[in-house]
Amino acid sequence: MSDDSITMAMTVAEIHNISKACLIVNGCDEANANAIATTVSMAERDGATSHGLFRIPGYVQSMRSGKVNGKANPKVHIITPAVIRVDGDGGYTPLALHKGIPLLAKAAKAIGIASMTIINTYHFAALWPETEAIADYDLAGLACTAYKPVVVPAGAKEALFGTNPLSFSWPRPGKTPMVYDMATAAKSLGDLYIAVRDGQTVPLGTGLDADGNPTTDPRKITDGGVILPFGGYKGSAICMMVELLSAGVVGENFSFEAAMTDNSDGGPARGGEFLIAISPELIAGAGWQTHSEKFFDRLTRIEGAYLPGQRRHMNRLSDAPRQVNAALVETIKELSQG
Amino acid sequence: MSDDSITMAMTVAEIHNISKACLIVNGCDEANANAIATTVSMAERDGATSHGLFRIPGYVQSMRSGKVNGKANPKVHIITPAVIRVDGDGGYTPLALHKGIPLLAKAAKAIGIASMTIINTYHFAALWPETEAIADYDLAGLACTAYKPVVVPAGAKEALFGTNPLSFSWPRPGKTPMVYDMATAAKSLGDLYIAVRDGQTVPLGTGLDADGNPTTDPRKITDGGVILPFGGYKGSAICMMVELLSAGVVGENFSFEAAMTDNSDGGPARGGEFLIAISPELIAGAGWQTHSEKFFDRLTRIEGAYLPGQRRHMNRLSDAPRQVNAALVETIKELSQG
């Protein structure tokens, strides 16, 4: 992890451009580089730096190791009027989402609820770009994906689950949608690495060391230890649901299978993603928006309560250049030399 | 709450019969009494006593108070090939589920994914009967419902959410399905009342007292205090998703609205339920079962890990009479005098 203390100013467009250029030099075609650079620059725009430029070296490494196809041509298949399947062609997820989500949204708007599965893909990004895209069609969205085993089932000391993020969005026409995106692990791997870098401890209940003992030292969790699910046995049940949806329903690798086939180049393994889009207009009927706004109004009036995703959306409003990690930009420039 | 220490033996059929008789005397018609008695006797069969005979006095009270229509005739509407809506006619949920789930399953098997919403209903039961019924059709099932505000959003001290249970099931043809059903509150109201009755403390993080301070005394939580969501801000996000699905998508009361319209007879308020059924056969394709069984095989080989719902399914295997609370049976007999 590089030193975050020295930053430099870049516009969102500049962030997009250096990302795209670096990806093309390292094996992406125009369409894939564009889709990934959009995802990366949106993350920096929103202040979600852990999914911004920070991910570019990982994308590059995964092409250089021969694992991921930077020129993948994802194919969208309409299986039924409610079921879309995208074959990612061994590439990154952003282009698969870019092609599939308009069809998922069309299906959900026509029939009320629809699912989209992505197979044969490598998911390096957050999940909120896709659930937010679904919400932009005035649909509720749900997305989840598995990872390699780093999280133990509640009560156990051996990892089986991935950090297994789950994202949910709710449309608020005329306003920014409510969107959250969370690891179903007590902490994501990224947050643990940041705690290691910054010499911080983590709360008990975050993970176990290599001997299966509770620890507050993040290094003991990342070096041979395991992460606990969030929220004890209930969070473990949610984490398991993510495995069953994003591998069992999708027909792709469970976390334990992903680990067996991966080349361990440091990036995510091949896997699947599961998405649902739901039309409140079609199911609840007219007036759904007024109704749900009453709920948000009530929530935001409660002292101490907050709507998930609002910080990202506030950050987004600024037209100013973003402060990005200068050392990271230097690394990306070096990687862009090929 | 009555004393659990004195029990008596009753067969599952006897439990069904006294439940049904009591419900009919107090205002249910044959169809509703049968559906509720089936739900209640299944709970006792599985050892899930908090949703068994224990609920009968609440059903009776809700008819005597004039809140719930014991002779409701739920109507099933097919909105689209993927969307089923059941109007519960102001009655209890079991008959609405009994009528709707075969059509939900038929839709999901035909088109891959389908939703069912129930409006104008009173949900006194657990959610696993319906998700297990979905799994019995070789479909994955999800169900959730809201309640009256007793749970605070993370960071706040004022209740907005219900205990908002979420249930998920996964089909295992030839075996008992994987089914879980959990409050998205740190503890359900039922568990808190049991802790009060038994003079036990609860862990910090379960709830706040009337002044908004953390407490380990369950009585301070149930008497004017509030319950916390499970798993901190992440559990709070799941709890909020349940509100948005089971009220926002359904077009029924949010928890805060349910409280405003309820007559406070002690039972659940009018609300909605949201269900999804998903076909792994249609989405993942052939081989889905072998694939997911590999996952369960891996999970159950891990020391300390367990499959949710297995205890209920083990209890079910016994043909012996069940031990039920003798004082409760006496109460039900008294209520059956009308």
Side-chain angles (χ1 to χ4, degrees), chain B residues 224-295:
Chain B
V226 290
I227 312 177
L228 291 165
F230 91 99
Y233 74 93
K234 293 186 180 186
S236 184
I238 301 283
C239 204
M240 182 180 67
M241 178 177 75
V242 171
E243 290 277 338
L244 288 164
L245 292 176
S246 52
V249 172
V250 173
E252 249 292 357
N253 281 333
F254 285 101
S255 292
F256 81 90
E257 295 172 322
M260 294 191 299
T261 60
D262 194 45
N263 72 356
S264 299
D265 63 2
R270 200 198 76 216
E273 180 174 0
F274 181 68
L275 301 101
I276 299 180
I278 303 170
S279 167
E281 177 77 28
L282 231 157
I283 300 180
W288 68 271
Q289 185 192 346
T290 311
H291 188 219
S292 54
E293 286 304 316
K294 280 185 195 166
F295 172 74

Side-chain angles (χ1 to χ4, degrees), chain A residues 23-47:
Chain A
L23 291 162
I24 285 177
V25 165
N26 285 283
C28 272
D29 61 12
E30 171 81 15
N32 277 282
N34 220 30
I36 297 167
T38 298
T39 300
V40 164
S41 59
M42 278 166 57
E44 293 285 352
R45 176 198 67 187
D46 286 7

